[in-house]
Amino acid sequence: MGIEFPAVRGSRPVEVDLPVYDGAFRLHGDRSQLGEITVEVVDQLERKTWHSMMHTHHPRGAPQLPGKALKYWLVSEHYGRLGGSSFHAASCREKARDEYIGWSQRVRVTNLNLVVNNSRFLILPEVRVHGLASAALRAAKCRLAADWQQMYGETPVLAYTHIDQ
């Protein structure tokens, strides 16, 4: 029994080729065949490729969020790029998150810069490997605070994921 995602929405033309996925690549198997799983920060030159991948394969497309953001490639030691993720500065108000944390409005305003949102997570459609998502999220979690600190001079203490109904 698997999770069913909505169909990929209509796409806008994107002028960037996707070297990470050509439609013929299939990887179905065991996590051990991938080697080490890491995440790598998407550099400025690769942003269009990352956005193209998300726009093409993520049900919600590429994020169009203003403000602070970090984008990662999901990388297998043996197969290269298998997907990507992004983290953005937390939105000002999000009822479920704010209730879970239990903070007042004053504390929220003071501490919001310590919270980031995992705004996109994608494993390419033809990659079906048990345990890969957990390994990818673990790798991102291990890097996120240091990468965010290096880029923005702040160290987040909480990362959350928002899921639409």
Side-chain angles (χ1 to χ4, degrees):
M1 181 176 169
I3 298 172
E4 290 189 35
F5 292 99
V8 176
R9 61 194 171 120
S11 62
R12 297 171 291 202
V14 178
E15 298 297 323
V16 178
D17 290 330
L18 267 182
V20 296
Y21 183 73
D22 65 6
F25 177 76
R26 289 178 57 95
L27 178 59
H28 296 202
D30 186 76
R31 163 75 184 80
S32 63
Q33 74 189 75
L34 301 178
E36 184 180 2
I37 297 299
T38 59
V39 293
E40 297 174 0
V41 175
V42 175
D43 68 30
Q44 198 65 30
L45 298 173
E46 298 176 311
R47 287 185 180 262
K48 286 184 179 181
T49 303
W50 186 93
H51 276 271
S52 177
M53 178 187 67
M54 285 295 171
H55 180 75
T56 303
H57 300 291
H58 195 282
R60 296 184 68 204
Q64 302 295 323
L65 301 171
K68 300 172 185 171
L70 263 176
K71 295 173 176 63
Y72 289 112
W73 294 115
L74 166 59
V75 181
S76 157
E77 177 183 10
H78 300 305
Y79 291 93
R81 294 177 183 164
L82 303 178
S85 62
S86 66
F87 293 84
H88 282 82
S91 58
C92 291
R93 287 188 176 81
E94 193 162 306
K95 185 177 178 182
R97 176 202 66 207
D98 295 344
E99 286 177 0
Y100 177 79
I101 294 171
W103 54 15
S104 67
Q105 181 174 339
R106 184 179 62 80
V107 172
R108 179 182 46 77
V109 169
T110 303
N111 294 319
L112 193 60
N113 64 318
L114 302 176
V115 179
V116 295
N117 177 21
N118 178 207
S119 50
R120 291 293 184 276
F121 181 77
L122 174 73
I123 295 174
L124 289 168
E126 290 301 324
V127 177
R128 304 207 189 264
V129 176
H130 181 75
L132 178 57
S134 295
L137 289 169
R138 182 173 41 257
K141 181 190 84 126
C142 289
R143 284 200 61 163
L144 179 63
D147 290 341
W148 198 273
Q149 171 64 39
Q150 182 178 3
M151 187 165 282
Y152 299 112
E154 300 169 330
T155 303
V157 297
L158 176 69
Y160 71 98
T161 299
H162 172 80
I163 299 174
D164 286 337
Q165 292 183 347

